[in-house]
Amino acid sequence: MKKIIIFITLLIFIPFFIVIIYNNNYKEIELKYISPTYIRVKRMSDDSIVTLPLEEYIVGVLAGEMPVSFELEALKAQAVASRSYALKRIEYNKDKEYDVVDSIMNQVYLDNDYLKDAWGINYVKNINKLRTAVNETLDEYLEYNNSIADALFFSTSNGYTEDSKNVFNFESGYLKSVESPWDKNISSAFKNQKTISLTDFYKKLNLPYNKNLNIEILKRSSTNRILLLKINNVEFKGTDIYNKLSLRSTDFEIELQGETVKIRTKGYGHGVGMSQYGALGMALEGYSYEEILSHYYTNTNITKLKN
């Protein structure tokens, strides 16, 4: 009888102690704050504007912009890039009602309430990983020629990043094309194919229907992205086709098959600045976040905000 009582007692209390141990191992770590910098974020869902400590905002941006499964050094590189981007927007928009919106128009920001619902039992583990990335890069941002660097980033390169002048029509000393060979082997978005009817193809490009489709590539960048082309003798920029057809990249091939147009792309995103999957590839090879940032943002320095 005594053995049965002991056995039942163990059955009751062992799960209790397991829960205690689990909870102690997964307590939320605190987010550090030094610089009293705040950012005004417009929430697109209801047009409200919330004012947040910058470091709290960066945690929410990490959650929205980079998979939490990524290596810590890649997340730290993203934290510095996103903080730099945010500080640049604060600088640009100081006389406006808000600094950034919470969508891809600037940076995707997800708040704690959303993350608790989305992550469920994994919330504490995931939020701790992101807070660690932010805490270990506390107040750090990229600087170029004594100014905050506009640290643009995107998902996946086609093997190279793109020069800013070819996408956004401005010269930059740090948003230059660099090799990014890691993306090919680790990003499922490296290659993509899209199919569209010939009728819709012409409609989206505001061209008259023609059963024949003539594509003439007029100019490519050194990274193989299309800068200028003709479609049935009408000239387009590569970025026009990218936007009008909602393509993943300006490195594309267009092929007519009957009444269907097939478009193959390499890479995902505008191509300027840091490739996120390239950052992951570098982290997997043992590169530090400082080395990742130095590779993708040439001639920049990591600087800390003054208190």
Coordinates of all heavy atoms in Angstrom, one line a residue, residues 158-232:
N158 N 20.3 37.1 -56.4 CA 20.4 36.2 -57.6 C 21.9 35.7 -57.7 O 22.3 35.2 -58.7 CB 20.0 36.8 -58.9 CG 20.9 38.0 -59.3 OD1 21.7 38.5 -58.5 ND2 20.8 38.4 -60.5
G159 N 22.6 35.9 -56.6 CA 24.1 35.7 -56.6 C 24.9 36.9 -56.4 O 26.0 36.9 -56.0
Y160 N 24.2 38.1 -56.6 CA 24.8 39.4 -56.4 C 23.7 40.3 -55.8 O 22.6 40.2 -56.1 CB 25.3 40.0 -57.7 CG 26.4 39.2 -58.3 CD1 26.1 38.1 -59.2 CD2 27.8 39.5 -58.1 CE1 27.1 37.4 -59.8 CE2 28.8 38.7 -58.7 CZ 28.4 37.7 -59.6 OH 29.4 36.9 -60.2
T161 N 24.2 41.3 -55.0 CA 23.3 42.4 -54.7 C 23.4 43.4 -55.8 O 24.3 43.4 -56.6 CB 23.6 43.0 -53.3 OG1 24.9 43.7 -53.4 CG2 23.7 42.0 -52.3
E162 N 22.5 44.4 -55.8 CA 22.4 45.4 -56.9 C 22.8 46.8 -56.4 O 22.7 47.1 -55.3 CB 21.0 45.4 -57.5 CG 20.8 46.3 -58.7 CD 21.7 45.9 -59.9 OE1 22.9 46.2 -59.8 OE2 21.2 45.2 -60.8
D163 N 23.4 47.5 -57.3 CA 23.7 48.9 -57.1 C 22.5 49.8 -56.9 O 21.6 49.6 -57.7 CB 24.6 49.4 -58.2 CG 25.4 50.7 -57.8 OD1 24.7 51.7 -57.4 OD2 26.6 50.7 -57.9
S164 N 22.4 50.6 -55.9 CA 21.2 51.4 -55.7 C 20.8 52.3 -56.9 O 19.6 52.5 -57.1 CB 21.4 52.3 -54.5 OG 22.5 53.2 -54.7
K165 N 21.8 52.7 -57.7 CA 21.4 53.6 -58.8 C 20.6 52.9 -59.8 O 19.8 53.5 -60.6 CB 22.7 54.2 -59.4 CG 23.5 53.2 -60.2 CD 24.8 53.8 -60.8 CE 25.6 52.8 -61.5 NZ 26.9 53.4 -62.1
N166 N 20.7 51.6 -59.9 CA 20.0 50.8 -60.9 C 18.5 50.5 -60.5 O 17.7 50.0 -61.3 CB 20.7 49.5 -61.2 CG 22.0 49.7 -62.0 OD1 22.1 50.7 -62.7 ND2 23.0 48.8 -61.7
V167 N 18.2 50.7 -59.2 CA 16.9 50.4 -58.7 C 16.2 51.6 -58.2 O 15.0 51.9 -58.6 CB 17.0 49.3 -57.5 CG1 15.6 49.0 -57.0 CG2 17.7 48.1 -58.0
F168 N 16.9 52.4 -57.4 CA 16.2 53.6 -56.8 C 16.7 54.9 -57.4 O 16.4 56.0 -56.9 CB 16.4 53.5 -55.3 CG 15.8 52.3 -54.7 CD1 16.6 51.4 -54.1 CD2 14.4 52.1 -54.7 CE1 16.1 50.2 -53.5 CE2 13.9 51.0 -54.1 CZ 14.7 50.0 -53.5
N169 N 17.6 54.9 -58.4 CA 18.0 56.1 -59.1 C 18.8 57.0 -58.2 O 18.7 58.3 -58.3 CB 16.9 56.8 -59.7 CG 16.2 55.9 -60.8 OD1 16.9 55.3 -61.6 ND2 14.9 55.9 -60.8
F170 N 19.5 56.5 -57.2 CA 20.4 57.4 -56.4 C 21.7 56.7 -56.2 O 21.8 55.5 -56.0 CB 19.8 57.9 -55.1 CG 19.6 56.8 -54.1 CD1 20.7 56.5 -53.2 CD2 18.4 56.1 -53.9 CE1 20.5 55.5 -52.2 CE2 18.3 55.1 -53.0 CZ 19.3 54.8 -52.1
E171 N 22.8 57.4 -56.2 CA 24.1 56.9 -56.0 C 24.4 56.8 -54.5 O 23.9 57.6 -53.7 CB 25.2 57.9 -56.6 CG 25.2 57.9 -58.1 CD 26.0 56.8 -58.7 OE1 26.5 55.9 -57.9 OE2 26.2 56.7 -59.9
S172 N 25.1 55.7 -54.1 CA 25.4 55.5 -52.7 C 26.8 54.9 -52.6 O 27.1 54.0 -53.4 CB 24.4 54.6 -52.1 OG 24.8 54.1 -50.8
G173 N 27.5 55.4 -51.6 CA 28.8 54.8 -51.4 C 28.9 53.5 -50.7 O 29.9 52.9 -50.5
Y174 N 27.7 53.1 -50.1 CA 27.7 51.8 -49.4 C 26.6 50.8 -49.9 O 26.6 49.7 -49.4 CB 27.4 52.1 -47.9 CG 26.1 53.0 -47.6 CD1 24.9 52.4 -47.4 CD2 26.2 54.4 -47.6 CE1 23.8 53.1 -47.2 CE2 25.1 55.1 -47.4 CZ 23.9 54.5 -47.1 OH 22.7 55.3 -46.9
L175 N 25.7 51.3 -50.8 CA 24.8 50.3 -51.4 C 25.3 49.9 -52.8 O 24.6 50.2 -53.8 CB 23.4 51.0 -51.4 CG 22.8 51.3 -50.0 CD1 21.4 52.0 -50.2 CD2 22.5 50.0 -49.2
K176 N 26.4 49.3 -52.8 CA 27.0 48.8 -54.0 C 26.8 47.3 -54.2 O 26.6 46.6 -53.3 CB 28.5 49.1 -53.9 CG 28.9 50.6 -53.8 CD 28.5 51.4 -55.1 CE 29.1 52.8 -55.1 NZ 28.7 53.5 -56.3
S177 N 26.9 46.9 -55.4 CA 26.8 45.5 -55.8 C 28.0 44.7 -55.2 O 29.1 45.1 -55.3 CB 26.7 45.3 -57.3 OG 26.7 43.9 -57.6
V178 N 27.6 43.6 -54.5 CA 28.6 42.7 -54.0 C 28.2 41.2 -54.3 O 27.0 41.0 -54.5 CB 28.9 42.8 -52.4 CG1 29.4 44.2 -52.1 CG2 27.6 42.6 -51.6
E179 N 29.1 40.3 -54.2 CA 28.7 38.9 -54.4 C 27.9 38.4 -53.2 O 28.2 38.8 -52.1 CB 30.0 38.1 -54.6 CG 30.7 38.3 -56.0 CD 31.8 37.3 -56.2 OE1 31.5 36.0 -56.1 OE2 32.9 37.7 -56.4
S180 N 27.0 37.5 -53.5 CA 26.2 36.9 -52.4 C 26.0 35.4 -52.9 O 24.9 35.1 -53.2 CB 24.9 37.6 -52.2 OG 24.3 37.1 -51.1
P181 N 27.0 34.6 -52.8 CA 26.9 33.2 -53.3 C 26.1 32.2 -52.4 O 25.8 31.1 -52.9 CB 28.3 32.8 -53.5 CG 29.0 33.5 -52.4 CD 28.3 34.9 -52.3
W182 N 25.8 32.6 -51.2 CA 25.2 31.7 -50.2 C 23.7 31.5 -50.5 O 23.2 30.4 -50.2 CB 25.3 32.3 -48.8 CG 26.7 32.6 -48.5 CD1 27.6 31.7 -47.9 CD2 27.4 33.9 -48.6 NE1 28.8 32.4 -47.7 CE2 28.7 33.7 -48.1 CE3 27.0 35.1 -49.1 CZ2 29.6 34.7 -48.1 CZ3 27.9 36.1 -49.1 CH2 29.2 35.9 -48.6
D183 N 23.0 32.5 -51.1 CA 21.6 32.4 -51.3 C 21.1 31.1 -52.1 O 20.1 30.5 -51.8 CB 21.0 33.6 -52.0 CG 21.5 34.9 -51.4 OD1 22.8 35.1 -51.3 OD2 20.7 35.8 -51.1
K184 N 21.9 30.8 -53.1 CA 21.5 29.8 -54.1 C 21.2 28.5 -53.4 O 20.3 27.7 -53.8 CB 22.6 29.6 -55.1 CG 22.3 28.5 -56.2 CD 23.5 28.5 -57.2 CE 23.2 27.4 -58.3 NZ 24.2 27.3 -59.3
N185 N 22.0 28.1 -52.4 CA 21.9 26.8 -51.8 C 20.9 26.8 -50.6 O 20.6 25.7 -50.1 CB 23.3 26.3 -51.4 CG 24.2 26.1 -52.6 OD1 23.7 25.6 -53.6 ND2 25.4 26.4 -52.4
I186 N 20.6 27.9 -50.0 CA 19.8 27.9 -48.8 C 18.4 28.6 -48.9 O 17.6 28.4 -48.0 CB 20.5 28.5 -47.6 CG1 20.9 30.0 -47.8 CG2 21.8 27.7 -47.3 CD1 21.5 30.6 -46.6
S187 N 18.2 29.3 -50.0 CA 16.9 30.0 -50.1 C 16.0 29.3 -51.1 O 16.3 29.1 -52.3 CB 17.1 31.5 -50.5 OG 15.8 32.1 -50.7
S188 N 14.8 28.9 -50.6 CA 13.8 28.3 -51.5 C 13.3 29.3 -52.5 O 12.6 28.9 -53.5 CB 12.6 27.7 -50.7 OG 12.0 28.7 -50.0
A189 N 13.5 30.6 -52.3 CA 13.0 31.6 -53.2 C 14.1 32.0 -54.2 O 13.8 32.9 -55.0 CB 12.7 32.9 -52.4
F190 N 15.2 31.3 -54.3 CA 16.2 31.6 -55.2 C 15.7 31.6 -56.7 O 16.0 32.4 -57.5 CB 17.4 30.7 -55.1 CG 18.6 31.1 -56.0 CD1 19.4 32.2 -55.8 CD2 18.8 30.3 -57.1 CE1 20.4 32.5 -56.7 CE2 19.9 30.6 -58.0 CZ 20.6 31.7 -57.8
K191 N 14.9 30.5 -57.0 CA 14.3 30.4 -58.3 C 12.8 30.3 -58.2 O 12.3 29.7 -57.2 CB 14.8 29.2 -59.1 CG 16.3 29.3 -59.6 CD 16.6 28.1 -60.4 CE 18.0 28.3 -61.0 NZ 18.4 27.1 -61.9
N192 N 12.1 31.0 -59.1 CA 10.7 31.0 -59.0 C 10.1 31.0 -60.5 O 10.8 31.5 -61.4 CB 10.1 32.1 -58.2 CG 8.6 32.1 -58.0 OD1 7.9 32.9 -58.7 ND2 8.1 31.2 -57.2
Q193 N 8.9 30.5 -60.6 CA 8.3 30.6 -61.9 C 6.8 31.0 -61.8 O 6.1 30.6 -60.9 CB 8.3 29.2 -62.6 CG 7.6 29.2 -64.0 CD 7.8 27.9 -64.7 OE1 8.9 27.6 -65.2 NE2 6.7 27.1 -64.9
K194 N 6.4 31.9 -62.6 CA 5.1 32.5 -62.5 C 4.4 32.3 -63.9 O 5.1 32.5 -64.9 CB 5.2 34.0 -62.2 CG 3.8 34.7 -62.1 CD 4.0 36.1 -61.5 CE 2.6 36.7 -61.3 NZ 2.8 38.0 -60.6
T195 N 3.1 32.0 -63.9 CA 2.4 31.8 -65.1 C 1.2 32.8 -65.2 O 0.5 32.9 -64.2 CB 1.8 30.3 -65.2 OG1 2.9 29.4 -65.2 CG2 1.1 30.1 -66.5
I196 N 1.0 33.4 -66.3 CA 0.0 34.4 -66.5 C -0.6 34.2 -67.9 O 0.2 33.9 -68.8 CB 0.5 35.8 -66.2 CG1 -0.6 36.8 -66.3 CG2 1.6 36.2 -67.2 CD1 -0.1 38.2 -65.9
S197 N -1.9 34.5 -68.1 CA -2.4 34.4 -69.4 C -1.9 35.5 -70.3 O -1.6 36.6 -69.8 CB -4.0 34.4 -69.4 OG -4.4 35.7 -69.0
L198 N -1.8 35.3 -71.6 CA -1.3 36.4 -72.5 C -2.2 37.6 -72.4 O -1.7 38.7 -72.4 CB -1.3 35.8 -73.9 CG -0.7 36.7 -75.0 CD1 0.8 37.1 -74.6 CD2 -0.7 36.1 -76.3
T199 N -3.5 37.4 -72.3 CA -4.4 38.5 -72.2 C -4.1 39.4 -70.9 O -4.1 40.6 -71.0 CB -5.9 38.0 -72.1 OG1 -6.2 37.3 -73.3 CG2 -6.9 39.2 -72.0
D200 N -4.0 38.7 -69.8 CA -3.7 39.4 -68.5 C -2.3 40.1 -68.6 O -2.1 41.2 -68.0 CB -3.7 38.5 -67.3 CG -5.2 38.2 -66.9 OD1 -6.1 38.9 -67.4 OD2 -5.4 37.2 -66.2
F201 N -1.4 39.4 -69.2 CA 0.0 40.0 -69.4 C -0.1 41.3 -70.1 O 0.5 42.3 -69.6 CB 0.8 39.0 -70.2 CG 2.2 39.4 -70.5 CD1 3.3 39.3 -69.6 CD2 2.5 40.0 -71.7 CE1 4.5 39.7 -69.8 CE2 3.8 40.4 -72.0 CZ 4.8 40.3 -71.1
Y202 N -0.8 41.4 -71.2 CA -0.9 42.7 -71.9 C -1.7 43.7 -71.1 O -1.4 44.9 -71.2 CB -1.5 42.4 -73.3 CG -0.6 41.8 -74.3 CD1 -1.1 40.7 -75.0 CD2 0.7 42.2 -74.5 CE1 -0.2 40.1 -76.0 CE2 1.5 41.6 -75.5 CZ 1.0 40.6 -76.2 OH 1.9 40.0 -77.1
K203 N -2.7 43.2 -70.5 CA -3.6 44.2 -69.7 C -2.8 44.8 -68.6 O -2.9 46.0 -68.4 CB -4.8 43.4 -69.1 CG -5.8 44.3 -68.5 CD -7.0 43.4 -67.9 CE -7.7 42.7 -69.0 NZ -8.9 42.0 -68.5
K204 N -2.0 44.1 -67.9 CA -1.2 44.6 -66.8 C -0.1 45.6 -67.3 O 0.3 46.5 -66.6 CB -0.5 43.5 -66.0 CG -1.5 42.7 -65.2 CD -0.8 41.5 -64.5 CE -1.7 40.6 -63.7 NZ -2.3 41.3 -62.5
L205 N 0.4 45.4 -68.5 CA 1.4 46.3 -69.1 C 0.8 47.4 -69.9 O 1.5 48.2 -70.5 CB 2.4 45.5 -69.9 CG 3.2 44.4 -69.1 CD1 4.2 43.7 -70.1 CD2 3.9 45.0 -68.0
N206 N -0.6 47.4 -70.0 CA -1.3 48.4 -70.8 C -0.9 48.4 -72.3 O -0.6 49.4 -72.9 CB -1.1 49.8 -70.2 CG -2.1 50.8 -70.7 OD1 -3.2 50.4 -71.1 ND2 -1.7 52.1 -70.8
L207 N -0.8 47.1 -72.8 CA -0.4 46.9 -74.2 C -1.6 46.3 -74.9 O -2.4 45.6 -74.4 CB 0.8 46.0 -74.3 CG 2.2 46.5 -73.8 CD1 3.2 45.4 -73.8 CD2 2.6 47.7 -74.6
P208 N -1.7 46.6 -76.2 CA -2.7 46.0 -77.0 C -2.5 44.5 -77.2 O -1.3 44.0 -77.3 CB -2.7 46.7 -78.4 CG -1.3 47.2 -78.4 CD -0.9 47.5 -77.0
Y209 N -3.5 43.7 -77.3 CA -3.4 42.2 -77.4 C -2.7 41.9 -78.8 O -3.0 42.5 -79.8 CB -4.7 41.5 -77.4 CG -4.6 40.0 -77.6 CD1 -4.3 39.2 -76.5 CD2 -4.7 39.5 -78.8 CE1 -4.1 37.8 -76.7 CE2 -4.6 38.1 -79.0 CZ -4.3 37.3 -77.9 OH -4.1 36.0 -78.1
N210 N -1.8 41.0 -78.7 CA -1.1 40.5 -79.9 C -0.7 39.1 -79.7 O -0.1 38.7 -78.6 CB 0.2 41.4 -80.2 CG 0.8 41.1 -81.5 OD1 0.8 39.9 -82.0 ND2 1.5 42.1 -82.1
K211 N -1.1 38.2 -80.6 CA -0.8 36.8 -80.4 C 0.7 36.5 -80.4 O 1.1 35.4 -79.9 CB -1.6 35.9 -81.4 CG -1.1 36.1 -82.8 CD -1.9 35.2 -83.8 CE -1.4 35.4 -85.2 NZ -2.1 34.4 -86.1
N212 N 1.4 37.4 -81.0 CA 2.9 37.3 -81.0 C 3.5 38.1 -79.9 O 3.0 39.2 -79.6 CB 3.5 37.7 -82.4 CG 3.0 36.9 -83.5 OD1 3.0 35.7 -83.5 ND2 2.5 37.6 -84.6
L213 N 4.5 37.6 -79.3 CA 5.1 38.3 -78.2 C 6.6 38.4 -78.5 O 7.3 37.3 -78.5 CB 4.9 37.5 -76.8 CG 5.6 38.1 -75.6 CD1 5.1 39.5 -75.3 CD2 5.3 37.2 -74.4
N214 N 7.1 39.6 -78.7 CA 8.5 39.8 -79.0 C 9.2 40.5 -77.8 O 8.8 41.6 -77.5 CB 8.6 40.6 -80.3 CG 10.1 40.8 -80.7 OD1 10.9 39.9 -80.7 ND2 10.4 42.1 -81.0
I215 N 10.2 39.8 -77.2 CA 10.9 40.4 -76.1 C 12.3 40.7 -76.6 O 13.0 39.8 -77.1 CB 11.0 39.4 -74.9 CG1 9.6 38.9 -74.5 CG2 11.7 40.0 -73.8 CD1 8.7 39.9 -73.9
E216 N 12.8 41.9 -76.4 CA 14.1 42.3 -76.7 C 14.8 43.0 -75.5 O 14.3 44.0 -75.0 CB 14.1 43.3 -77.9 CG 15.4 43.8 -78.4 CD 15.4 44.8 -79.5 OE1 14.2 45.2 -79.9 OE2 16.4 45.3 -79.9
I217 N 15.8 42.3 -75.0 CA 16.5 42.9 -73.8 C 17.5 43.9 -74.3 O 18.4 43.6 -75.1 CB 17.3 41.8 -73.1 CG1 16.3 40.6 -72.7 CG2 18.0 42.3 -71.8 CD1 15.2 41.0 -71.9
L218 N 17.4 45.1 -73.9 CA 18.2 46.2 -74.3 C 19.4 46.5 -73.4 O 20.5 46.8 -73.9 CB 17.4 47.5 -74.4 CG 16.2 47.5 -75.3 CD1 15.5 48.9 -75.3 CD2 16.6 47.2 -76.8
K219 N 19.2 46.3 -72.1 CA 20.3 46.5 -71.2 C 20.2 45.7 -69.9 O 19.1 45.7 -69.3 CB 20.4 48.1 -70.8 CG 21.6 48.5 -70.0 CD 21.6 50.0 -69.8 CE 22.8 50.5 -69.0 NZ 22.7 51.9 -68.8
R220 N 21.3 45.1 -69.5 CA 21.3 44.4 -68.2 C 22.4 45.1 -67.3 O 23.3 45.6 -67.8 CB 21.7 42.9 -68.4 CG 20.6 42.1 -69.0 CD 21.0 40.6 -69.0 NE 20.1 39.8 -69.7 CZ 19.1 39.1 -69.1 NH1 19.0 39.2 -67.8 NH2 18.3 38.3 -69.8
S221 N 22.2 45.0 -66.0 CA 23.2 45.4 -65.1 C 24.3 44.4 -65.1 O 24.2 43.3 -65.6 CB 22.7 45.7 -63.7 OG 22.4 44.4 -63.1
S222 N 25.4 44.7 -64.4 CA 26.5 43.7 -64.2 C 26.1 42.5 -63.4 O 26.8 41.5 -63.4 CB 27.7 44.4 -63.5 OG 27.3 44.8 -62.3
T223 N 24.9 42.6 -62.7 CA 24.4 41.4 -61.9 C 23.4 40.6 -62.7 O 22.8 39.8 -62.1 CB 23.8 42.0 -60.6 OG1 22.6 42.6 -60.9 CG2 24.8 42.9 -59.9
N224 N 23.2 40.9 -64.0 CA 22.3 40.2 -64.8 C 20.8 40.6 -64.7 O 19.9 40.0 -65.3 CB 22.4 38.6 -64.7 CG 21.9 37.9 -65.9 OD1 22.4 38.2 -67.0 ND2 21.1 36.9 -65.8
R225 N 20.6 41.6 -63.8 CA 19.2 42.1 -63.7 C 18.9 43.0 -64.9 O 19.8 43.7 -65.4 CB 19.0 42.8 -62.4 CG 19.1 41.9 -61.2 CD 19.0 42.8 -59.9 NE 19.0 41.9 -58.7 CZ 20.0 41.5 -58.0 NH1 21.3 41.8 -58.5 NH2 19.9 40.8 -57.0
I226 N 17.6 42.9 -65.4 CA 17.2 43.7 -66.6 C 17.0 45.1 -66.2 O 16.2 45.4 -65.3 CB 16.0 43.0 -67.2 CG1 16.4 41.6 -67.8 CG2 15.5 43.9 -68.4 CD1 15.2 40.8 -68.3
L227 N 17.7 46.0 -66.9 CA 17.5 47.4 -66.7 C 16.5 48.0 -67.7 O 15.7 48.9 -67.4 CB 18.8 48.2 -66.8 CG 19.9 47.8 -65.8 CD1 21.2 48.5 -66.0 CD2 19.4 48.0 -64.4
L228 N 16.6 47.5 -69.0 CA 15.8 48.1 -70.0 C 15.4 47.0 -71.0 O 16.3 46.2 -71.4 CB 16.5 49.2 -70.7 CG 15.8 50.3 -71.5 CD1 14.9 51.1 -70.5 CD2 16.8 51.3 -72.1
L229 N 14.2 46.9 -71.5 CA 13.8 46.0 -72.5 C 12.6 46.5 -73.4 O 12.0 47.5 -73.0 CB 13.3 44.7 -71.8 CG 12.0 44.6 -71.1 CD1 11.6 43.2 -71.0 CD2 12.0 45.3 -69.8
K230 N 12.4 45.8 -74.5 CA 11.3 46.2 -75.3 C 10.3 45.0 -75.4 O 10.8 43.8 -75.5 CB 11.7 46.5 -76.7 CG 12.2 47.9 -76.9 CD 12.5 48.2 -78.4 CE 12.9 49.7 -78.6 NZ 13.2 49.9 -80.0
I231 N 9.0 45.3 -75.2 CA 8.0 44.2 -75.4 C 7.1 44.7 -76.6 O 6.5 45.7 -76.5 CB 7.2 44.0 -74.1 CG1 8.1 43.6 -73.0 CG2 6.1 43.0 -74.4 CD1 7.4 43.4 -71.7
N232 N 7.2 43.9 -77.7 CA 6.4 44.3 -78.9 C 6.7 45.8 -79.2 O 5.8 46.6 -79.5 CB 4.9 44.1 -78.7 CG 4.6 42.6 -78.7 OD1 5.5 41.7 -78.8 ND2 3.3 42.3 -78.4

